[in-house]
Amino acid sequence: MLDSVITTMGDSAVPSLSLLASKISTRFTFFYTIENQKNAESFKTFCEIHSPETNAEFLELPSISMPGEIVKYAKEYMSGKDERVGVFLTSGAKQTIFPFLINSKTSTTVSLVHSPLRILVEKSPNLTESVPIVLSLEELLSSRGWIITGENGTTLKNGDLVISDVAVSFDAIKGLLSFTSESHLLKTGKENEIHSLPKKEKARTKEIDQATISNLV
């Protein structure tokens, strides 16, 4: 449908993965700020392995804390572009993607909606084409470098980082990834001792749970 599509990567993996799966172009440019560099590196590896036929380019933007520099970058990047460019709009990346849309002369908008999950391409002011998107849990996790292992599929692994005893589910209609896990005290059968634990033990327990939550996020 489009000569190329540009987008900025946010915290969620679903938009970028959905855009890649849509096949609405063979050229995608994924912009990312330094705050999302790790996610961008994981997704770049995923693209190279699972979609080698797609021309996926990854370019670093100025920091999200420098909005003026992002606007300047977008203006310079979009100047002189006369091809049919799709600008992918996502709710979590307005500050970084809007400057590209504003400075584009021939762009069309692309968006992601759910229930069911689909990509919408504005072909004209009165015509929007819908492209259904089907993602799997394995693809979604892999796009961020994670795999499911273990006898019951309850262990997540990303390099040397391992999180055990966690149930993972993905609602492909809503595009919602969910994790369910027990707290450290519940796993160790000490949940009834929370008020009698020494202060240092309480702090250590809290750190363990916070680390798990941080890695899942």
Side-chain angles (χ1 to χ4, degrees):
M1 293 185 198
L2 301 167
D3 296 325
S4 66
V5 180
I6 63 174
T7 183
T8 55
M9 303 187 69
D11 293 324
S12 173
V14 174
S16 297
L17 190 58
S18 297
L19 185 61
L20 186 69
S22 70
K23 306 295 183 183
I24 59 174
S25 180
T26 57
R27 294 172 54 202
F28 297 96
T29 300
F30 296 94
F31 292 102
Y32 64 93
T33 62
I34 188 65
E35 291 82 0
N36 271 307
Q37 182 179 14
K38 185 177 180 180
N39 291 340
E41 290 173 351
S42 296
F43 192 63
K44 181 179 180 180
T45 300
F46 177 86
C47 291
E48 292 171 349
I49 296 174
H50 297 279
S51 189
E53 73 284 357
T54 302
N55 183 351
E57 182 180 27
F58 291 79
L59 298 177
E60 184 177 324
L61 291 172
S63 170
I64 192 67
S65 63
M66 304 170 64
E69 292 300 311
I70 294 178
V71 171
K72 181 180 177 181
Y73 181 103
K75 185 176 181 179
E76 293 176 353
Y77 181 86
M78 298 304 292
S79 64
K81 285 192 177 294
D82 56 2
E83 59 183 2
R84 185 168 167 76
V85 178
V87 180
F88 187 45
L89 306 177
T90 59
S91 59
K94 289 185 176 70
Q95 185 175 338
T96 50
I97 195 60
F98 273 1
F100 290 91
L101 181 63
I102 293 170
N103 288 285
S104 175
K105 298 177 181 179
T106 58
S107 67
T108 185
T109 59
V110 181
S111 56
L112 176 69
V113 293
H114 61 78
S115 301
L117 202 63
R118 59 201 187 279
I119 291 283
L120 301 181
V121 181
E122 183 190 30
K123 305 193 77 172
S124 70
N126 298 316
L127 178 61
T128 300
E129 185 158 343
S130 177
V131 180
I133 302 298
V134 179
L135 303 179
S136 69
L137 171 62
E138 288 73 21
E139 286 177 315
L140 189 58
L141 293 175
S142 179
S143 71
R144 287 294 169 85
W146 291 88
I147 60 172
I148 300 177
T149 64
E151 184 176 345
N152 299 317
T154 58
T155 299
L156 291 172
K157 185 176 181 181
N158 189 338
D160 295 331
L161 182 59
V162 177
I163 304 177
S164 59
D165 300 319
V166 56
V168 189
S169 62
F170 177 61
D171 187 329
I173 303 298
K174 295 181 179 179
L176 180 65
L177 180 66
S178 302
F179 302 99
T180 304
S181 183
E182 296 177 343
S183 68
H184 177 69
L185 286 180
L186 192 60
K187 288 180 182 179
T188 56
K190 296 181 179 180
E191 66 275 16
N192 295 326
E193 302 175 19
I194 182 62
H195 298 296
S196 60
L197 289 175
K199 189 173 182 179
K200 287 186 177 180
E201 183 66 16
K202 282 185 179 181
R204 189 183 74 86
T205 297
K206 185 180 293 186
E207 288 177 358
I208 292 173
D209 287 338
Q210 287 177 342
T212 299
I213 293 171
S214 175
N215 289 322
L216 291 176
V217 170

